[in-house]
Amino acid sequence: MRIPAGVLWSAAGAAWRNGFSFAGQDVARWFPGHMAKGLKKMQSSLKLVDCIIEVHDARIPLSGRNPLFQETLGIKPHLLVLNKMDLADLKEKQIVPLVTELIESGYRYHRGENLEYCIMVIGVPNVGKSSLINSLRRQHLKKGKASPVGGHPGVTKAVMSRVQVCERPLMFLLDTPGVLTPRIQDVETGLKLATCGTILDHLVGEDIIADYLLFTLNKQQQFRYVEHYDLGEACDDIGSVLKKIAIKLKKINKVKVLTGTGDVNVIQPDYTAAAYDFIRSFRSGVLGQVMFDTAILEEPQANSGSDS
């Protein structure tokens, strides 16, 4: 929602940040054992696979993709699917024809006599790989979900057995655990991944994620949060915003403070709970649509290479 001029904020009185300060922040590294094991398992399963589908979050189309996928799995036909295009329904009807065309236009080697197609679904954590598989099953087989789905990274921890998603052509998909690159290239990329739910919140800090989200929403003039939380006007100070959210949601803590006359109970806003609600509302689409890679996409060199 674009802000109507003069309704939610006063340009003259608002001190908006020109950039986000990354000073003192360290890049979160989250590469637990199941990720390393998962990547090795994917490699060992390649001989059973005709095609690779890489799922990634459309809000960060150029940030955080794992280069290890291309290095270790690149010998198979590769289709990039950007999920969460509008935090609504993925247009999965196009995927089966695209995959079929990719496979049939290439050489299948030892799988040439095999009548069914097997596709491995890969991606960083929590970008909707399992949701894609379940959507394809509903679309083509009219059947319920076969892969567990969660709103946080790390739900799928093992390469699962094949899941049928289509009858004609006979097609099976392999769900896999999300695998991040062992070394995220910079702090801002890490914050983008964390804001979209790809890195566990506590590794970065809910307050930092909330602040980066607020900065991005204001920068892109997405002020739906003002209406959602009845804030009255847009604000660029995360402490002030979280305090108002906590009060509205009745997220408060009672803290004992020692004074000269004895202990006094003081009510304080629960900033962490408010930050969590702010982040969760964004991830569910309540606070509007955001493209975190706008600056990268506007660079001329961004269009020099692409996946097929």
Side-chain angles (χ1 to χ4, degrees):
M1 180 179 69
R2 300 292 177 183
I3 185 171
V7 174
L8 297 178
W9 71 318
S10 170
W16 300 104
R17 288 174 285 183
N18 293 323
F20 189 84
S21 174
F22 300 106
Q25 305 299 336
D26 191 13
V27 177
R29 296 177 184 176
W30 192 52
F31 200 74
H34 81 265
M35 285 193 178
K37 292 176 183 176
L39 189 57
K40 290 179 181 178
K41 181 67 173 177
M42 291 179 212
Q43 287 178 274
S44 66
S45 300
L46 277 180
K47 60 181 178 292
L48 306 174
V49 170
D50 297 299
C51 182
I52 301 287
I53 293 179
E54 180 185 351
V55 184
H56 200 64
D57 195 314
R59 295 169 293 183
I60 45 173
L62 301 177
S63 293
R65 289 179 61 196
N66 192 339
L68 295 179
F69 289 146
Q70 282 288 2
E71 295 172 15
T72 59
L73 309 175
I75 65 172
K76 296 289 183 176
H78 190 115
L79 177 68
L80 174 64
V81 174
L82 292 179
N83 202 0
K84 306 182 182 181
M85 292 292 287
D86 52 3
L87 290 179
D89 293 329
L90 177 70
K91 292 180 171 53
E92 68 275 355
K93 294 181 180 180
Q94 302 174 5
I95 292 176
V96 167
L98 280 172
V99 168
T100 303
E101 182 181 350
L102 267 177
I103 295 173
E104 292 181 349
S105 63
Y107 186 62
R108 297 181 69 199
Y109 300 97
H110 63 283
R111 289 186 54 81
E113 297 180 0
N114 208 315
L115 297 179
E116 91 260 4
Y117 297 153
C118 184
I119 293 88
M120 183 182 290
V121 182
I122 64 174
V124 297
N126 200 31
V127 289
K129 297 181 294 296
S130 298
S131 296
L132 171 65
I133 292 175
N134 294 331
S135 294
L136 289 172
R137 278 176 62 83
R138 285 193 300 268
Q139 176 67 33
H140 297 283
L141 296 178
K142 311 301 181 186
K143 292 185 177 181
K145 67 179 183 179
S147 295
V149 177
H152 54 87
V155 173
T156 303
K157 287 187 168 60
V159 178
M160 300 179 61
S161 58
R162 301 189 313 169
V163 177
Q164 185 179 353
V165 295
C166 189
E167 189 70 42
R168 295 183 181 179
L170 185 57
M171 186 176 292
F172 296 85
L173 266 61
L174 284 175
D175 198 4
T176 63
V179 180
L180 282 170
T181 177
R183 191 178 297 274
I184 298 171
Q185 64 187 47
D186 54 53
V187 175
E188 185 167 16
T189 297
L191 279 173
K192 291 177 182 178
L193 288 166
T195 307
C196 291
T198 296
I199 301 175
L200 288 172
D201 293 343
H202 73 269
L203 292 173
V204 179
E206 289 85 351
D207 56 334
I208 298 171
I209 297 173
D211 193 18
Y212 182 70
L213 173 58
L214 178 66
F215 167 76
T216 304
L217 291 173
N218 286 336
K219 183 179 180 181
Q220 298 191 12
Q221 296 190 21
Q222 293 284 359
F223 298 106
R224 195 175 296 178
Y225 73 91
V226 178
E227 181 180 357
H228 180 67
Y229 290 111
D230 295 326
L231 300 182
E233 62 181 3
C235 178
D236 203 28
D237 178 66
I238 189 60
S240 177
V241 169
L242 293 182
K243 181 178 181 179
K244 292 178 180 179
I245 291 175
I247 293 172
K248 173 178 172 57
L249 300 179
K250 296 182 172 57
K251 303 288 186 181
I252 56 175
N253 292 322
K254 292 183 179 179
V255 181
K256 280 189 177 181
V257 178
L258 180 62
T259 68
T261 57
D263 293 345
V264 176
N265 288 325
V266 177
I267 296 177
Q268 295 182 343
D270 189 336
Y271 290 94
T272 301
Y276 175 74
D277 193 272
F278 185 50
I279 297 165
R280 185 179 59 180
S281 295
F282 164 72
R283 290 173 182 164
S284 66
V286 173
L287 304 186
Q289 302 170 337
V290 169
M291 166 61 72
F292 288 95
D293 283 345
T294 302
I296 302 176
L297 289 169
E298 289 174 351
E299 295 175 0
Q301 63 267 28
N303 298 320
S304 60
S306 62
D307 286 84
S308 59

